[in-house]
Coordinates of all heavy atoms in Angstrom, one line a residue:
M191 N 10.2 0.1 12.8 CA 9.7 -0.3 11.5 C 10.5 0.3 10.4 O 11.1 1.4 10.6 CB 8.2 0.3 11.4 CG 7.6 0.1 10.1 SD 5.9 0.7 10.0 CE 5.2 0.0 11.5
K192 N 10.7 -0.4 9.3 CA 11.6 0.1 8.2 C 10.9 1.3 7.5 O 9.7 1.4 7.4 CB 11.8 -1.0 7.2 CG 12.6 -2.1 7.8 CD 12.9 -3.2 6.8 CE 13.7 -4.3 7.4 NZ 13.9 -5.4 6.4
D193 N 11.7 2.2 7.1 CA 11.2 3.5 6.4 C 10.3 3.2 5.3 O 9.3 3.8 5.1 CB 12.4 4.4 6.0 CG 13.2 4.9 7.2 OD1 12.6 5.0 8.3 OD2 14.3 5.4 7.0
K194 N 10.7 2.3 4.4 CA 9.9 2.0 3.2 C 8.6 1.4 3.5 O 7.5 1.7 2.9 CB 10.6 1.2 2.1 CG 11.6 2.0 1.4 CD 12.1 1.3 0.2 CE 13.0 2.2 -0.6 NZ 13.4 1.7 -1.9
A195 N 8.5 0.5 4.6 CA 7.3 -0.1 5.0 C 6.3 1.0 5.6 O 5.2 1.0 5.3 CB 7.5 -1.2 6.1
W196 N 6.9 1.9 6.4 CA 6.1 2.9 7.0 C 5.6 3.9 5.8 O 4.4 4.3 5.9 CB 6.9 3.7 8.0 CG 6.1 4.8 8.7 CD1 6.4 6.1 8.7 CD2 5.0 4.6 9.5 NE1 5.4 6.8 9.4 CE2 4.6 5.9 9.9 CE3 4.2 3.5 9.9 CZ2 3.5 6.1 10.8 CZ3 3.2 3.7 10.7 CH2 2.7 5.0 11.1
A197 N 6.4 4.2 4.9 CA 6.0 5.0 3.8 C 5.0 4.4 3.0 O 4.0 5.0 2.5 CB 7.3 5.3 2.9
T198 N 5.0 3.1 2.8 CA 3.9 2.3 2.1 C 2.6 2.4 2.9 O 1.6 2.7 2.3 CB 4.4 0.9 2.0 OG1 5.6 0.8 1.2 CG2 3.2 0.0 1.3
Y199 N 2.7 2.3 4.2 CA 1.5 2.4 5.0 C 0.9 3.8 4.9 O -0.3 4.0 4.7 CB 1.8 2.1 6.5 CG 0.6 2.5 7.4 CD1 -0.5 1.6 7.4 CD2 0.6 3.6 8.1 CE1 -1.6 1.9 8.1 CE2 -0.6 3.9 8.9 CZ -1.7 3.1 8.9 OH -2.8 3.4 9.6
L200 N 1.8 4.8 5.0 CA 1.3 6.2 4.9 C 0.7 6.5 3.5 O -0.3 7.2 3.4 CB 2.4 7.2 5.2 CG 2.9 7.2 6.6 CD1 4.1 8.1 6.8 CD2 1.8 7.5 7.6
H201 N 1.3 5.9 2.5 CA 0.7 6.0 1.1 C -0.6 5.4 1.1 O -1.6 6.0 0.5 CB 1.6 5.4 0.1 CG 1.1 5.5 -1.3 ND1 1.0 6.6 -2.0 CD2 0.6 4.5 -2.1 CE1 0.6 6.4 -3.2 NE2 0.3 5.1 -3.3
A202 N -0.8 4.2 1.7 CA -2.1 3.6 1.7 C -3.1 4.4 2.5 O -4.3 4.5 2.1 CB -2.0 2.2 2.4
Y203 N -2.6 5.1 3.6 CA -3.5 5.9 4.3 C -4.0 7.2 3.6 O -5.1 7.5 3.6 CB -2.7 6.4 5.6 CG -3.6 7.3 6.6 CD1 -4.5 6.6 7.4 CD2 -3.5 8.6 6.6 CE1 -5.3 7.4 8.2 CE2 -4.3 9.4 7.4 CZ -5.2 8.8 8.2 OH -6.0 9.5 9.0
V204 N -3.1 7.8 2.8 CA -3.4 8.9 1.9 C -4.5 8.4 0.9 O -5.4 9.1 0.7 CB -2.2 9.6 1.3 CG1 -2.6 10.5 0.2 CG2 -1.4 10.2 2.4
K205 N -4.2 7.3 0.3 CA -5.1 6.8 -0.7 C -6.5 6.5 0.0 O -7.6 6.8 -0.6 CB -4.7 5.5 -1.3 CG -3.5 5.7 -2.2 CD -3.9 6.5 -3.4 CE -2.9 6.7 -4.4 NZ -3.3 7.5 -5.5
Y206 N -6.5 6.1 1.2 CA -7.8 5.9 1.9 C -8.6 7.2 2.1 O -9.8 7.3 1.9 CB -7.5 5.2 3.3 CG -8.7 5.1 4.2 CD1 -9.6 4.1 4.0 CD2 -8.9 6.1 5.2 CE1 -10.7 4.0 4.9 CE2 -10.0 6.0 6.0 CZ -10.9 4.9 5.9 OH -12.0 4.9 6.7
I207 N -7.8 8.2 2.5 CA -8.4 9.6 2.7 C -9.0 10.1 1.3 O -10.0 10.7 1.3 CB -7.4 10.5 3.3 CG1 -6.9 10.1 4.7 CG2 -7.9 12.0 3.3 CD1 -8.0 10.1 5.7
E208 N -8.3 9.7 0.3 CA -8.8 10.2 -1.1 C -9.8 9.2 -1.6 O -10.3 9.3 -2.7 CB -7.6 10.2 -2.0 CG -6.5 11.2 -1.7 CD -5.3 11.0 -2.6 OE1 -5.1 10.0 -3.3 OE2 -4.5 12.0 -2.7
E209 N -10.3 8.2 -0.8 CA -11.2 7.3 -1.2 C -10.8 6.5 -2.4 O -11.5 6.2 -3.3 CB -12.7 7.9 -1.5 CG -13.2 8.6 -0.2 CD -14.6 9.1 -0.4 OE1 -15.2 9.1 -1.5 OE2 -15.1 9.8 0.5
N210 N -9.5 6.0 -2.3 CA -8.9 5.2 -3.3 C -8.2 4.1 -2.6 O -8.3 4.0 -1.3 CB -8.0 6.1 -4.1 CG -7.9 5.7 -5.5 OD1 -8.0 4.6 -5.8 ND2 -7.6 6.7 -6.4
A211 N -7.4 3.4 -3.3 CA -6.6 2.3 -2.7 C -5.2 2.3 -3.2 O -4.9 2.7 -4.3 CB -7.3 0.9 -2.9
L212 N -4.2 1.7 -2.4 CA -2.9 1.5 -2.9 C -2.9 0.5 -3.9 O -3.5 -0.5 -3.8 CB -2.1 1.2 -1.6 CG -0.6 0.9 -1.8 CD1 0.2 1.3 -0.6 CD2 -0.3 -0.6 -2.1
T213 N -2.1 0.7 -5.0 CA -1.7 -0.3 -6.0 C -0.3 -0.3 -6.2 O 0.5 0.6 -5.8 CB -2.5 0.0 -7.3 OG1 -1.9 1.3 -7.8 CG2 -4.0 0.1 -7.2
N214 N 0.2 -1.3 -6.9 CA 1.6 -1.4 -7.2 C 2.0 -0.1 -8.0 O 3.0 0.5 -7.8 CB 1.9 -2.7 -8.0 CG 3.3 -2.9 -8.3 OD1 4.0 -2.1 -9.0 ND2 3.9 -4.0 -7.8
S215 N 1.2 0.3 -9.0 CA 1.4 1.4 -9.9 C 1.5 2.7 -9.0 O 2.3 3.5 -9.2 CB 0.3 1.5 -10.9 OG 0.5 2.6 -11.7
S216 N 0.5 2.9 -8.1 CA 0.5 4.1 -7.3 C 1.7 4.2 -6.4 O 2.2 5.3 -6.2 CB -0.8 4.3 -6.5 OG -0.8 3.3 -5.4
L217 N 2.2 3.1 -5.9 CA 3.3 3.1 -5.0 C 4.6 3.3 -5.8 O 5.5 4.0 -5.3 CB 3.4 1.8 -4.2 CG 4.4 1.7 -3.0 CD1 4.1 2.8 -2.0 CD2 4.4 0.4 -2.3
R218 N 4.7 2.7 -7.0 CA 5.9 3.1 -7.9 C 5.9 4.6 -8.1 O 7.0 5.1 -8.1 CB 5.8 2.3 -9.1 CG 6.2 0.8 -9.1 CD 6.5 0.2 -10.4 NE 5.6 0.6 -11.5 CZ 4.5 0.0 -11.9 NH1 4.0 -1.1 -11.3 NH2 3.7 0.5 -12.9
E219 N 4.8 5.1 -8.5 CA 4.7 6.6 -8.7 C 5.2 7.3 -7.5 O 6.0 8.3 -7.6 CB 3.4 6.9 -9.2 CG 3.2 8.4 -9.5 CD 1.8 8.8 -10.0 OE1 1.1 7.9 -10.6 OE2 1.4 9.9 -9.7
Q220 N 4.7 6.9 -6.3 CA 5.0 7.6 -5.0 C 6.6 7.6 -4.8 O 7.2 8.6 -4.4 CB 4.3 6.9 -3.9 CG 4.7 7.5 -2.5 CD 4.1 9.0 -2.3 OE1 3.2 9.4 -3.0 NE2 4.9 9.7 -1.5
F221 N 7.2 6.5 -5.1 CA 8.7 6.3 -4.9 C 9.5 6.8 -6.0 O 10.7 6.8 -6.0 CB 9.0 4.9 -4.5 CG 8.6 4.4 -3.2 CD1 8.2 3.1 -3.0 CD2 8.5 5.2 -2.1 CE1 7.8 2.6 -1.8 CE2 8.2 4.8 -0.9 CZ 7.8 3.5 -0.7
G222 N 8.8 7.2 -7.2 CA 9.5 7.5 -8.4 C 10.3 6.4 -9.0 O 11.3 6.6 -9.6
A223 N 9.7 5.2 -8.9 CA 10.3 4.0 -9.4 C 9.8 3.7 -10.8 O 8.7 4.0 -11.2 CB 10.0 2.8 -8.6
V224 N 10.6 3.1 -11.7 CA 10.2 2.7 -13.0 C 9.4 1.4 -13.0 O 9.4 0.7 -12.0 CB 11.5 2.6 -13.9 CG1 12.2 3.9 -14.1 CG2 12.4 1.5 -13.4
E225 N 8.7 1.2 -14.1 CA 7.8 0.0 -14.2 C 8.6 -1.3 -14.0 O 8.0 -2.3 -13.5 CB 7.0 0.1 -15.5 CG 6.0 -1.0 -15.6 CD 5.1 -0.8 -16.7 OE1 5.0 0.2 -17.3 OE2 4.4 -1.8 -17.1
S226 N 9.8 -1.3 -14.5 CA 10.6 -2.5 -14.3 C 10.8 -2.9 -12.9 O 11.3 -4.0 -12.6 CB 11.9 -2.4 -15.1 OG 12.7 -1.4 -14.6
S227 N 10.6 -2.0 -12.0 CA 10.8 -2.3 -10.5 C 9.6 -2.8 -9.9 O 9.5 -2.9 -8.7 CB 11.4 -1.1 -9.8 OG 10.5 0.0 -9.8
S228 N 8.6 -3.2 -10.6 CA 7.3 -3.6 -10.0 C 7.4 -4.9 -9.2 O 6.7 -5.1 -8.2 CB 6.3 -3.8 -11.1 OG 6.6 -4.9 -12.0
G229 N 8.4 -5.7 -9.4 CA 8.7 -6.8 -8.7 C 9.1 -6.5 -7.2 O 8.6 -7.1 -6.2
S230 N 10.0 -5.5 -7.1 CA 10.5 -5.1 -5.8 C 9.4 -4.4 -5.1 O 9.2 -4.6 -3.8 CB 11.8 -4.3 -5.9 OG 11.5 -3.2 -6.7
I231 N 8.6 -3.7 -5.8 CA 7.4 -3.0 -5.1 C 6.4 -4.1 -4.6 O 5.9 -3.9 -3.6 CB 6.7 -2.0 -6.1 CG1 7.7 -0.9 -6.5 CG2 5.4 -1.5 -5.5 CD1 8.1 0.0 -5.3
S232 N 6.2 -5.1 -5.4 CA 5.3 -6.2 -5.0 C 5.9 -6.9 -3.8 O 5.1 -7.2 -2.9 CB 5.1 -7.2 -6.1 OG 4.4 -6.7 -7.2
R233 N 7.1 -7.1 -3.7 CA 7.7 -7.7 -2.4 C 7.6 -6.8 -1.2 O 7.2 -7.3 -0.1 CB 9.1 -8.1 -2.7 CG 9.3 -9.3 -3.6 CD 10.8 -9.7 -3.7 NE 11.6 -8.8 -4.3 CZ 11.7 -8.7 -5.7 NH1 11.0 -9.4 -6.5 NH2 12.5 -7.8 -6.2
L234 N 7.7 -5.5 -1.5 CA 7.5 -4.5 -0.3 C 6.0 -4.5 0.1 O 5.8 -4.6 1.3 CB 7.9 -3.1 -0.8 CG 7.6 -2.0 0.2 CD1 8.4 -2.2 1.5 CD2 8.0 -0.7 -0.4
I235 N 5.1 -4.6 -0.8 CA 3.7 -4.7 -0.5 C 3.4 -5.9 0.3 O 2.7 -5.9 1.3 CB 2.8 -4.5 -1.7 CG1 2.9 -3.0 -2.3 CG2 1.4 -4.9 -1.4 CD1 2.2 -2.9 -3.6
K236 N 4.0 -7.0 -0.2 CA 3.7 -8.3 0.5 C 4.3 -8.2 2.0 O 3.7 -8.7 2.9 CB 4.4 -9.4 -0.3 CG 4.2 -10.8 0.4 CD 4.9 -11.9 -0.5 CE 4.8 -13.2 0.2 NZ 5.5 -14.3 -0.5
D237 N 5.5 -7.6 2.2 CA 6.1 -7.5 3.5 C 5.1 -6.7 4.4 O 4.9 -7.0 5.5 CB 7.4 -6.9 3.4 CG 8.5 -7.7 2.9 OD1 8.2 -9.0 2.7 OD2 9.6 -7.2 2.5
V238 N 4.6 -5.5 3.8 CA 3.7 -4.7 4.6 C 2.4 -5.5 5.0 O 1.8 -5.3 6.0 CB 3.5 -3.3 3.9 CG1 2.5 -2.5 4.6 CG2 4.8 -2.6 3.8
L239 N 1.9 -6.2 4.0 CA 0.7 -7.0 4.2 C 0.9 -8.1 5.3 O 0.1 -8.2 6.2 CB 0.4 -7.9 2.9 CG -0.7 -7.3 2.0 CD1 -0.7 -8.1 0.7 CD2 -2.0 -7.3 2.6
N240 N 2.1 -8.7 5.3 CA 2.4 -9.7 6.3 C 2.6 -9.1 7.6 O 2.4 -9.7 8.7 CB 3.7 -10.5 5.9 CG 3.4 -11.4 4.8 OD1 2.3 -11.8 4.5 ND2 4.5 -11.8 4.1
G241 N 3.0 -7.8 7.7 CA 3.1 -7.1 8.9 C 1.8 -6.5 9.4 O 1.8 -5.9 10.5
K242 N 0.7 -6.8 8.7 CA -0.6 -6.5 9.1 C -0.9 -4.9 9.2 O -1.8 -4.5 9.8 CB -1.0 -7.0 10.5 CG -0.8 -8.5 10.6 CD -1.8 -9.3 9.9 CE -1.7 -10.8 10.2 NZ -2.2 -11.6 9.2
L243 N -0.1 -4.2 8.4 CA -0.3 -2.7 8.3 C -1.3 -2.4 7.2 O -2.1 -1.4 7.4 CB 1.0 -2.0 7.9 CG 2.1 -2.0 9.0 CD1 3.4 -1.4 8.5 CD2 1.7 -1.3 10.3
I244 N -1.4 -3.2 6.2 CA -2.4 -3.0 5.2 C -3.1 -4.4 5.0 O -2.7 -5.4 5.5 CB -1.9 -2.5 3.9 CG1 -0.8 -3.5 3.3 CG2 -1.3 -1.1 4.0 CD1 -0.3 -3.1 1.9
K245 N -4.3 -4.4 4.3 CA -5.0 -5.6 4.1 C -5.5 -5.5 2.5 O -5.5 -4.4 1.9 CB -6.2 -5.7 4.9 CG -7.2 -4.6 4.7 CD -8.4 -4.7 5.7 CE -9.3 -3.6 5.5 NZ -10.5 -3.6 6.4
P246 N -5.7 -6.7 2.0 CA -6.3 -6.7 0.6 C -7.6 -5.9 0.5 O -8.4 -6.0 1.4 CB -6.5 -8.2 0.3 CG -5.7 -8.9 1.3 CD -5.6 -8.0 2.5
G247 N -7.7 -5.2 -0.6 CA -9.0 -4.4 -0.7 C -10.0 -5.3 -1.5 O -10.0 -6.5 -1.4
D248 N -10.7 -4.6 -2.4 CA -11.7 -5.2 -3.3 C -11.0 -6.3 -4.1 O -10.2 -6.0 -5.0 CB -12.3 -4.2 -4.2 CG -13.5 -4.7 -5.0 OD1 -13.8 -5.9 -4.9 OD2 -14.1 -3.9 -5.7
T249 N -11.4 -7.5 -3.9 CA -10.8 -8.6 -4.7 C -11.6 -8.9 -6.0 O -11.2 -9.8 -6.7 CB -10.8 -9.9 -3.8 OG1 -12.2 -10.2 -3.4 CG2 -9.9 -9.7 -2.6
N250 N -12.6 -8.1 -6.3 CA -13.4 -8.3 -7.5 C -12.9 -7.4 -8.6 O -13.6 -7.1 -9.6 CB -14.9 -8.0 -7.2 CG -15.5 -9.0 -6.3 OD1 -15.1 -10.2 -6.3 ND2 -16.3 -8.6 -5.4
T251 N -11.7 -6.9 -8.5 CA -11.2 -6.0 -9.6 C -10.0 -6.7 -10.3 O -9.5 -7.7 -9.9 CB -10.5 -4.7 -9.0 OG1 -9.5 -5.0 -8.1 CG2 -11.6 -3.9 -8.2
A252 N -9.6 -6.2 -11.5 CA -8.6 -6.8 -12.2 C -7.2 -6.6 -11.6 O -6.3 -7.3 -11.9 CB -8.6 -6.2 -13.7
H253 N -7.1 -5.5 -10.9 CA -5.8 -5.2 -10.2 C -5.8 -5.4 -8.7 O -6.9 -5.3 -8.1 CB -5.4 -3.8 -10.5 CG -5.3 -3.4 -12.0 ND1 -4.3 -3.8 -12.7 CD2 -6.1 -2.7 -12.8 CE1 -4.4 -3.4 -13.9 NE2 -5.6 -2.7 -14.0
S254 N -4.7 -5.7 -8.1 CA -4.7 -5.9 -6.7 C -4.8 -4.5 -6.0 O -4.0 -3.5 -6.3 CB -3.4 -6.6 -6.3 OG -3.3 -7.8 -6.8
L255 N -5.7 -4.3 -5.1 CA -5.9 -3.2 -4.3 C -5.6 -3.5 -2.9 O -5.9 -4.5 -2.4 CB -7.3 -2.6 -4.5 CG -7.8 -2.3 -5.8 CD1 -9.3 -2.0 -5.8 CD2 -7.0 -1.2 -6.5
Y256 N -5.0 -2.5 -2.1 CA -4.7 -2.7 -0.7 C -5.2 -1.5 0.0 O -5.2 -0.3 -0.4 CB -3.2 -2.9 -0.6 CG -2.7 -4.0 -1.4 CD1 -2.1 -3.8 -2.6 CD2 -2.7 -5.3 -0.9 CE1 -1.7 -4.8 -3.4 CE2 -2.3 -6.3 -1.6 CZ -1.7 -6.1 -2.9 OH -1.3 -7.2 -3.6
E257 N -5.7 -1.7 1.2 CA -6.3 -0.7 2.1 C -5.6 -0.8 3.5 O -4.9 -1.9 3.8 CB -7.8 -1.0 2.3 CG -8.6 -1.0 1.1 CD -10.0 -1.4 1.3 OE1 -10.3 -2.0 2.3 OE2 -10.8 -1.1 0.4
I258 N -5.7 0.2 4.3 CA -5.1 0.2 5.6 C -5.9 -0.6 6.6 O -7.2 -0.8 6.3 CB -5.0 1.6 6.1 CG1 -6.2 2.4 6.3 CG2 -3.9 2.5 5.3 CD1 -6.2 3.7 7.0
H259 N -5.4 -1.1 7.6 CA -6.0 -1.8 8.7 C -6.6 -0.6 9.5 O -5.8 0.2 10.0 CB -5.1 -2.7 9.5 CG -5.1 -4.1 9.0 ND1 -6.2 -5.0 9.1 CD2 -4.2 -4.8 8.4 CE1 -6.0 -6.1 8.6 NE2 -4.7 -6.1 8.1
S260 N -7.9 -0.6 9.8 CA -8.4 0.5 10.7 C -8.0 0.4 12.1 O -8.2 1.4 12.8 CB -9.9 0.5 10.5 OG -10.5 -0.7 10.9
N261 N -7.4 -0.7 12.5 CA -7.0 -0.8 13.9 C -5.6 -0.2 14.2 O -5.1 -0.4 15.3 CB -7.0 -2.2 14.4 CG -6.1 -3.1 13.6 OD1 -5.6 -2.8 12.6 ND2 -6.0 -4.4 14.1
M262 N -5.0 0.5 13.2 CA -3.7 1.0 13.4 C -3.7 2.4 14.2 O -2.6 2.9 14.5 CB -3.0 1.2 12.0 CG -2.6 -0.2 11.5 SD -1.5 -1.1 12.5 CE 0.0 0.0 12.5
G263 N -4.9 3.0 14.5 CA -4.9 4.1 15.2 C -4.9 5.5 14.5 O -5.1 6.5 15.2
L264 N -4.7 5.5 13.3 CA -4.7 6.8 12.6 C -6.1 7.2 12.1 O -6.3 8.3 11.8 CB -3.7 6.8 11.4 CG -2.3 6.7 11.7 CD1 -1.4 6.6 10.5 CD2 -1.8 7.8 12.6
I265 N -7.0 6.3 12.1 CA -8.4 6.6 11.6 C -9.4 6.2 12.7 O -9.1 5.5 13.6 CB -8.8 6.0 10.3 CG1 -8.7 4.5 10.4 CG2 -8.0 6.6 9.2 CD1 -9.3 3.8 9.2

């Protein structure tokens, strides 16, 4: 597994423990990326979603939220 994909999953896991969810903004902050890199962060999130490491969270919010898949063995 690629390092950034695994780091994205771990970030989602930490957010889960904090009773929160991964967002583009939270992941940019985690990686120390500027706002103009939100497109590349979105592509990374999409790759991790396609890899079934995370899943869409609450779809009734204005922002996209992502949660971990509970079948990954860490919870």
Side-chain angles (χ1 to χ4, degrees):
M191 180 180 307
K192 295 181 181 179
D193 290 342
K194 284 195 175 188
W196 184 243
T198 299
Y199 173 76
L200 292 177
H201 179 69
Y203 184 77
V204 168
K205 290 295 185 182
Y206 173 81
I207 296 298
E208 296 174 344
E209 297 182 1
N210 214 328
L212 177 146
T213 63
N214 187 298
S215 177
S216 72
L217 193 56
R218 280 196 324 267
E219 183 178 326
Q220 178 68 27
F221 288 148
V224 294
E225 190 169 341
S226 63
S227 64
S228 64
S230 60
I231 296 295
S232 292
R233 286 186 293 279
L234 174 60
I235 291 171
K236 183 180 176 184
D237 289 345
V238 176
L239 262 171
N240 290 337
K242 306 289 187 208
L243 293 175
I244 61 175
K245 62 182 180 180
D248 185 0
T249 57
N250 295 322
T251 63
H253 301 286
S254 297
L255 303 174
Y256 303 94
E257 302 172 341
I258 60 171
H259 269 289
S260 59
N261 63 350
M262 288 302 295
L264 293 179
I265 59 170

